[in-house]
Amino acid sequence: MEESVSKGASSLRQGGFKSSLSGRSTPRNFPTFRRLISSWTPRKEARNGTGGIQWFRSNRSVYLLLLISFWAYLGFYFQSWWAHGHSKEEFLGFSGDPRNKLVDAELNTRRDLLADDSLVAVRNGTNKPQVYSDRKFDVILAKGNNISSRKKRSQRARFSLHKMHGKPKATINMENGDAEGQEQAFLLKNSTYGSLVGPFGSLEDRVLEWSPEKRFGTCDRKGEFARLVRYRRLVLVFHELSMTGAPISMMELATELLSCGATISAVVLSKKGGLMSELARRRIKVIEDRADLSFKTAMKADLVIAGSAVCASWIDQYIAHFPAGGSQIAWWIMENRREYFDRSKHVLHRVKMLMFLSELQSKQWLNWCQEENIKLRSQPSIVPLAVNDELAFVAGIPCSLNTPLASPEKMIEKRRLLRDAVRKELGLKDSDMLVMSLSSINAGKGQLLLLESVNLMIDQDPLGTGSQVKKTLDIRLDESALARKHHLRGLVKKSCNADASCTNLVFDSRRKQEQAVKILIGSVGSKSNKVPYVEAILRFLSQHPKLSESVLWTPATTRVSSLYAAADVYVMNSQGVGETFGRVTVEAMAFGVPVLGTDGGGTKEIVEQNVSGLFHPMGRAGNWVLAENLRYMLKNPTARKQMGKDGRKKVGKQYLKRHMYGRLVEVLTRGMRRQVASSRSLIGF
């Protein structure tokens, strides 16, 4: 018997099982068949699926659990269905329930009005701003982080009309894909707070017949900068993505590096702002993780460039994670307030090099370091910002974008056409003076003081004689103003040598040509706006209705060529220790716009008194001087144009892209981990 069993097992191993069971001729009482049936076990049966079914049938308690769960679900469903209404769509939250609408309304009031070229002022179908006498605009001018969301929403604008206390109100809400939430909405009534205009991106494209979106970089591939960064790996650290100087400058640097053949990764510490979509359009890779993944990427890079003092926290964590990482970091600090120094002083001495925007800023930070006994690893470098090629191209300054069909001379003519088109949109006459201030709206930028100065000019001296202003100024200011006027008189006479007809227009207070001043303030929706300060501005405008008629608001945007082209005067009214550098200052000068600035900070290094602009003191003590300077610019358009020409010449000599990247070459050469001489052999490293 054992022998027969062993033979049977042997036959199974040798394939006899298939031959004995595969045919129908095998009888059921055949010994092999019986042995196979008797050898089946529940485990083998379960493998075939039948054992599981039998086990399920033997456990009837499973049926009871399923029934209880099913009835509980049905009870919950019908109870909710009855409580929320009999419509399936309403119950699922897609429509119908007023409570859902209330929640949506509450969320919408907390969303920022972010800059987007698709946003246009409320229009009446004729491409002209529509002014409502009995309607209000919900415009959010502030930052906010109260609502967090990780979902990427597509950009879209919403316009809705609804009644509030029996009066119609127009509500404008803008959503941006990376907006995290909002803090507060403001009701802007045109007749009380001014008009919302722009941006004019589509108008630029139509008039100029060119769009910056057609370009992803303007690298001079034969230049020294391109040879230095080609095939290199660099990490750029953004502190945020707002449409302000530092993030935009870092974005343009990343674009230039990409076009020159470098490999770029961006670390974004805060995604608030509207530049995320622009980074994606420019194909700049953003590292989602701000910790381990960004640290590992930075460790493999040749250089890490941090673009703000706010990056101190990331730098500190990176050096803690990788102690040798400080030798890779070039820190480009663009702020000049003590609070920024205090938050970054503990890591200033640990990075390889520091870069500042101006000599005055560098001296200020070195003084603070001396007070705190901080010894830096190397002497700081000065790398000021510059006018990018897109703006220089529109301004008519020779750059890499020029072609035979788009020469600087032809672009100057198109810039004039753009100016006329934008001013027509704004409802301005040729004699009107458009004063512009583009920046985030906060106390450090001094927009409220600017409005106070304009109000002094309008209310105190409606005839333009300047008598009441002169009575208020002290002797020292009178003397400086008198000296300035003598200088300007000579400047005007010099500019009139080639134009004899302009002589009769200078210092002629008897001419009765109607003139008006318009103030354009940006940037509505910037994430750097401060709510209390914006509220103070709106309260001031509500108390001075005559002034509010002259105020225009414009959203935050990267398309600013049309605004510079339309402007007559730019005001840099930064307070505290003054503006660090003022990228907008050199941009305005590139378009031939004179600058009225505070006498502090980097502005004094850019603007030359009585040549390319005029200065005034900081604080309310400077309001009278600023009012006088504005009045002078209004009454003397020839001197105003001459100052614009002189400022434009200075930009062409010092503040173009080639100047900035020339200074960067020296900094990057010292910052790269590997020798520059071996850069060509680093393909694929």
Side-chain angles (χ1 to χ4, degrees):
M1 183 66 181
E2 294 178 359
E3 184 179 356
S4 62
V5 172
S6 62
K7 290 181 179 180
S10 176
S11 63
L12 287 176
R13 288 192 297 268
Q14 296 174 3
F17 176 73
K18 180 177 180 181
S19 61
S20 61
L21 294 181
S22 60
R24 295 191 178 187
S25 60
T26 304
R28 294 182 61 84
N29 59 355
F30 194 76
T32 306
F33 181 84
R34 289 197 301 269
R35 282 196 299 270
L36 290 173
I37 296 299
S38 63
S39 64
W40 285 356
T41 63
R43 181 176 298 178
K44 293 180 180 180
E45 195 170 309
R47 294 175 183 173
N48 295 330
T50 57
I53 297 175
Q54 290 181 359
W55 178 86
F56 184 81
R57 291 175 179 174
S58 64
N59 291 273
R60 298 185 178 181
S61 59
V62 176
Y63 288 109
L64 295 177
L65 292 175
L66 290 176
L67 287 175
I68 292 172
S69 301
F70 179 73
W71 284 110
Y73 173 78
L74 287 180
F76 173 79
Y77 181 89
F78 283 106
Q79 183 180 4
S80 301
W81 175 76
W82 182 263
H84 290 84
H86 302 289
S87 172
K88 179 178 180 181
E89 291 184 356
E90 292 178 5
F91 171 61
L92 295 177
F94 293 112
S95 63
D97 193 357
R99 285 170 291 187
N100 292 336
K101 291 184 178 180
L102 178 60
V103 173
D104 292 339
E106 292 175 352
L107 290 176
N108 285 335
T109 58
R110 301 174 65 84
R111 293 188 176 117
D112 276 340
L113 175 60
L114 293 174
D116 190 283
D117 288 344
S118 63
L119 172 64
V120 186
V122 181
R123 303 187 184 282
N124 57 7
T126 61
N127 290 330
K128 294 182 179 180
Q130 181 74 32
V131 179
Y132 292 85
S133 59
D134 59 344
R135 294 181 179 178
K136 294 181 179 180
F137 290 92
D138 262 357
V139 180
I140 300 168
L141 302 174
K143 71 172 186 177
N145 294 315
N146 291 339
I147 298 178
S148 61
S149 174
R150 295 182 181 178
K151 297 181 179 179
K152 294 183 178 179
R153 307 181 185 91
S154 60
Q155 294 185 352
R156 59 189 183 273
R158 291 185 179 181
F159 178 81
S160 61
L161 291 173
H162 61 278
K163 291 185 177 181
M164 182 175 183
H165 301 297
K167 295 182 179 180
K169 180 179 70 173
T171 304
I172 298 178
N173 285 321
M174 287 294 300
E175 295 182 15
N176 185 277
D178 303 296
E180 295 181 348
Q182 316 308 324
E183 187 168 327
Q184 186 171 353
F186 293 95
L187 300 176
L188 290 185
K189 186 176 180 181
N190 283 13
S191 59
T192 303
Y193 303 119
S195 303
L196 179 67
V197 298
F200 302 99
S202 58
L203 183 62
E204 288 182 20
D205 297 341
R206 178 168 55 84
V207 175
L208 301 176
E209 300 178 335
W210 180 86
S211 173
E213 295 184 357
K214 298 178 181 179
R215 303 288 300 200
F216 292 102
T218 55
C219 177
D220 179 11
R221 295 187 174 274
K222 296 181 180 179
E224 188 177 357
F225 181 79
R227 291 194 296 269
L228 173 65
V229 302
R230 189 176 297 129
Y231 311 126
R232 299 281 185 170
R233 294 182 180 179
L234 294 97
V235 172
L236 273 63
V237 185
F238 293 67
H239 75 289
E240 63 179 23
L241 294 179
S242 61
M243 296 185 187
T244 53
I248 290 178
S249 300
M250 291 294 289
M251 179 182 69
E252 291 176 351
L253 174 60
T255 304
E256 189 74 10
L257 290 169
L258 274 177
S259 65
C260 289
T263 301
I264 301 299
S265 299
V267 178
V268 179
L269 305 185
S270 174
K271 294 184 179 179
K272 65 177 184 178
L275 289 182
M276 180 57 77
S277 59
E278 186 67 17
L279 291 177
R281 186 185 71 80
R282 296 174 182 239
R283 301 188 181 97
I284 299 173
K285 178 184 176 183
V286 176
I287 301 175
E288 295 295 332
D289 178 32
R290 293 173 295 177
D292 292 341
L293 181 58
S294 66
F295 298 157
K296 292 178 181 178
T297 306
M299 289 171 60
K300 300 176 183 178
D302 293 285
L303 189 68
V304 177
I305 303 177
S308 169
V310 185
C311 299
S313 59
W314 185 90
I315 294 174
D316 190 19
Q317 296 175 30
Y318 175 57
I319 295 178
H321 183 84
F322 179 48
S327 299
Q328 297 174 258
I329 299 175
W331 198 352
W332 202 3
I333 297 178
M334 305 187 188
E335 298 86 1
N336 198 29
R337 296 206 300 268
R338 182 64 190 239
E339 60 183 284
Y340 290 103
F341 171 80
D342 291 338
R343 71 164 60 182
S344 57
K345 61 184 180 181
H346 62 288
V347 289
L348 287 174
H349 63 288
R350 305 183 69 184
V351 301
K352 185 177 185 63
M353 66 187 64
L354 294 176
M355 296 185 291
F356 294 107
L357 300 180
S358 65
E359 290 286 351
L360 290 174
Q361 180 201 12
S362 178
K363 291 178 181 178
Q364 181 67 73
W365 279 69
L366 289 176
N367 289 337
W368 287 333
C369 288
Q370 187 174 3
E371 293 175 3
E372 301 285 341
N373 294 321
I374 298 174
K375 295 182 179 180
L376 304 178
R377 295 176 63 174
S378 62
Q379 187 70 16
S381 302
I382 307 299
V383 183
L385 301 177
V387 178
N388 62 40
D389 272 3
E390 285 78 9
L391 285 175
F393 175 70
V394 179
I397 298 176
C399 65
S400 63
L401 296 179
N402 290 124
T403 63
L405 297 178
S407 63
E409 294 76 16
K410 292 181 179 179
M411 293 310 302
I412 290 176
E413 182 60 32
K414 289 186 176 181
R415 189 192 73 193
R416 292 174 183 153
L417 297 175
L418 180 63
R419 172 184 171 85
D420 294 340
V422 175
R423 290 176 69 90
K424 184 178 180 180
E425 286 273 327
L426 299 177
L428 300 178
K429 301 185 294 295
D430 291 340
S431 59
D432 294 340
M433 184 175 75
L434 180 61
V435 179
M436 188 167 68
S437 177
L438 291 182
S439 63
S440 55
I441 306 173
N442 57 68
K445 301 299 182 180
Q447 290 91 348
L448 179 56
L449 297 176
L450 168 60
L451 293 175
E452 291 176 355
S453 300
V454 177
N455 188 60
L456 288 173
M457 185 180 69
I458 294 175
D459 290 345
Q460 300 294 335
D461 193 17
L463 298 179
T465 60
S467 58
Q468 296 190 30
V469 173
K470 292 177 183 178
K471 292 178 182 178
T472 312
L473 296 175
D474 56 27
I475 298 177
R476 183 166 54 87
L477 293 179
D478 276 335
E479 292 176 351
S480 62
L482 183 61
R484 181 168 65 250
K485 285 188 175 181
H486 281 300
H487 180 85
L488 291 175
R489 187 183 297 272
L491 180 67
V492 172
K493 289 182 179 179
K494 175 184 175 182
S495 63
C496 288
N497 289 336
D499 186 3
S501 62
C502 73
T503 308
N504 296 328
L505 299 178
V506 181
F507 299 107
D508 187 3
S509 60
R510 294 174 296 177
R511 59 193 173 100
K512 298 182 179 180
Q513 185 180 12
E514 183 181 358
Q515 293 177 308
V517 176
K518 292 288 185 179
I519 312 298
L520 181 65
I521 298 178
S523 303
V524 174
S526 172
K527 289 291 187 175
S528 300
N529 293 348
K530 303 299 181 183
V531 176
Y533 189 71
V534 175
E535 290 176 332
I537 292 177
L538 299 182
R539 284 194 300 269
F540 180 78
L541 289 175
S542 65
Q543 296 167 4
H544 300 84
K546 188 175 181 181
L547 172 64
S548 65
E549 295 175 0
S550 301
V551 176
L552 304 172
W553 302 89
T554 189
T557 179
T558 57
R559 304 293 298 274
V560 293
S561 297
S562 54
L563 301 178
Y564 288 124
D568 297 295
V569 175
Y570 192 90
V571 175
M572 175 57 73
N573 204 32
S574 296
Q575 304 298 308
V577 293
E579 185 68 22
T580 307
F581 174 81
R583 173 190 172 101
V584 290
T585 303
V586 294
E587 290 176 348
M589 291 168 61
F591 280 79
V593 179
V595 177
L596 304 182
T598 50
D599 56 355
T603 305
K604 295 184 67 175
E605 297 182 16
I606 305 172
V607 179
E608 188 176 352
Q609 174 77 335
N610 299 332
V611 176
S612 56
L614 300 173
F615 289 120
H616 58 274
M618 288 180 282
R620 281 195 164 84
N623 284 0
W624 292 105
V625 182
L626 177 56
E628 181 190 6
N629 292 341
L630 287 169
R631 183 179 299 106
Y632 177 82
M633 290 292 183
L634 177 65
K635 299 302 179 181
N636 298 278
T638 306
R640 187 175 72 213
K641 293 179 181 178
Q642 183 60 40
M643 285 185 178
K645 291 179 181 178
D646 291 337
R648 179 181 169 90
K649 291 179 182 178
K650 186 171 184 178
V651 169
K653 294 179 181 179
Q654 298 184 26
Y655 298 116
L656 295 180
K657 188 192 75 172
R658 63 175 180 268
H659 302 127
M660 185 185 79
Y661 287 109
R663 295 184 179 97
L664 273 175
V665 167
E666 178 184 355
V667 175
L668 297 182
T669 300
R670 291 190 289 119
M672 294 291 186
R673 286 193 311 181
R674 299 182 173 96
Q675 295 295 326
V676 180
S678 61
S679 60
R680 294 186 178 182
S681 64
L682 296 176
I683 302 177
F685 67 87

